[in-house]
Amino acid sequence: MTPFDYARPADRAEALRLGAGADVAYLGGGTNIVDLMRERIAGPARLVDVSGLPADIVETPDGGLMIGAAVRNTALAEHRLVRERYPMLARAILAGASAQIRNMATVGGNLLQRTRCTYFYDVEGSRCNKRAPGSGCDARDGFNRIHAVLGASEACVATHPSDMCVALAALDAVVHVEGPGGARALPFTDLHRLPGDRPDLDTVLEPGELVVAIELPPLAFAATSTYRKVRDRASYAFALISVAAAVEMADGRIADVRIAFGGLAHKPWRAAKAEAVLRGAAPTPQAFHDAAAAEFADARPLRDNGFKPALATRTLAAVLTTLTLGDAA
């Protein structure tokens, strides 16, 4: 591990001051950045520990929630209002990692975790444009069973690893950040980038910007929501595919719907095309199939992951069937 300076600021203003400049990284729970440093994938000259900043979950005046970036994943999943109003988020968090990791990991850190692509971690033996821009992508012609089928590029076919972020994408969350240029808020679906020719850039954050909070807007029908994860083993595996969905029914039809997929792209994938097909439709197997077909029309499977669109289609149908029958359990 490369030597580095460590700083633990007393407040947000000090954190932003210490986080300014080149080659600085913010430290939350350390469940990803420390691994990256050990593997010599990341080597910041300074770590600014923001895990001690205020960790509050506050109800907003309009009935949403404002979640501090330093909130631990376990605390968020166990919060009464999250479980009641946004059950897909609680279930997504509980589907990810072990209890020990959830107890350490912060909400802000979860947003910024990097891919678990094997070639990304193989520093000595593999080419990876995300780790070393311009070196190539060995995953394209390698073992690519877990890789992207949507939104990938010639430069990168890695997938985003987070479960929580899939639910946040479906819930129209807003990310609040502060940095040298001041404060700004951006839609969660705009936070992460597709790879294009710069897969080394995971997000649109500017140098020195700090995620300070995630806002969940009020969405009454999010109470009828769930998260389903399909993986190779039940114990702490990353998703082959996952689905976060919420449904509002009226007069026997789908009045409104939110859907996001995990395990399919470089970022949590908001399924806008599928949603458009489903709004106003009767909740039938054919409607669910048509919605998935619209979403996956542009899918580009690789040699080993051609099963993903069909698996995602079946999982989406199962989730929507459960929700529209009025039982999200």
Side-chain angles (χ1 to χ4, degrees):
M1 185 181 290
T2 304
F4 60 91
D5 293 331
Y6 171 85
R8 187 174 174 85
D11 53 33
R12 187 183 300 172
E14 185 181 9
L16 292 171
R17 179 180 61 80
L18 292 168
D23 210 14
V24 180
Y26 291 113
L27 173 70
T31 57
N32 188 213
I33 184 64
V34 173
D35 286 343
L36 295 173
M37 293 171 69
R38 286 171 176 161
E39 297 291 337
R40 293 178 291 118
I41 296 169
R46 177 190 297 160
L47 279 182
V48 179
D49 186 346
V50 294
S51 63
L53 296 185
D56 301 319
I57 302 175
V58 179
E59 188 172 11
T60 58
D62 60 1
L65 291 180
M66 188 70 73
I67 303 160
V71 170
R72 304 288 176 169
N73 286 6
T74 295
L76 183 60
E78 293 179 349
H79 194 277
R80 178 180 61 84
L81 294 180
V82 173
R83 290 187 285 110
E84 291 177 357
R85 299 180 186 177
Y86 310 96
M88 71 158 76
L89 178 57
R91 292 175 180 179
I93 294 169
L94 294 175
S98 65
Q100 292 91 335
I101 290 176
R102 293 195 300 268
N103 289 342
M104 285 297 298
T106 63
V107 172
N110 190 295
L111 270 58
L112 304 180
Q113 64 181 299
R114 308 205 71 190
T115 184
R116 265 51 177 195
C117 173
T118 303
Y119 300 96
F120 174 72
Y121 276 89
D122 185 13
V123 175
E124 300 296 335
S126 299
R127 300 176 302 156
C128 174
N129 289 317
K130 180 177 280 294
R131 173 172 33 82
S135 63
C137 176
D138 280 345
R140 291 198 65 88
D141 296 317
F143 183 64
N144 43 45
R145 185 169 180 271
I146 67 171
H147 290 74
V149 298
L150 292 170
S153 70
E154 289 298 316
C156 184
V157 293
T159 54
H160 194 272
S162 173
D163 293 286
M164 184 183 78
C165 287
V166 181
L168 293 175
L171 290 169
D172 294 319
V174 175
V175 182
H176 294 266
V177 303
E178 293 185 18
R184 62 180 178 133
L186 60 156
F188 187 85
T189 51
D190 292 343
L191 173 65
H192 299 97
R193 299 177 67 258
L194 291 178
D197 60 359
R198 289 297 308 274
D200 55 307
L201 301 177
D202 291 334
T203 73
V204 299
L205 296 182
E206 299 292 337
E209 281 194 316
L210 172 66
V211 175
V212 298
I214 295 87
E215 182 178 359
L216 296 179
L219 186 66
F221 70 90
T224 307
S225 70
T226 195
Y227 180 80
R228 184 168 299 187
K229 179 177 183 177
V230 181
R231 45 191 164 177
D232 283 326
R233 65 182 191 278
S235 178
Y236 315 137
F238 293 98
L240 290 172
I241 71 100
S242 63
V243 177
V247 175
E248 179 181 26
M249 296 293 294
D251 299 323
R253 291 185 173 270
I254 299 172
D256 207 351
V257 62
R258 299 288 188 276
I259 301 169
F261 288 103
L264 298 180
H266 197 257
K267 60 185 288 184
W269 190 266
R270 180 65 179 268
K273 294 177 182 177
E275 291 176 359
V277 170
L278 289 168
R279 289 191 181 99
T284 65
Q286 186 61 53
F288 302 157
H289 181 274
D290 291 345
E295 197 62 51
F296 299 127
D298 296 327
R300 296 293 180 268
L302 301 164
R303 183 193 63 220
D304 300 322
N305 66 4
F307 65 92
K308 280 195 171 188
L311 179 60
T313 297
R314 293 194 299 272
T315 306
L316 176 64
V319 166
L320 293 175
T321 298
T322 298
L323 292 174
T324 53
L325 288 175
D327 178 11

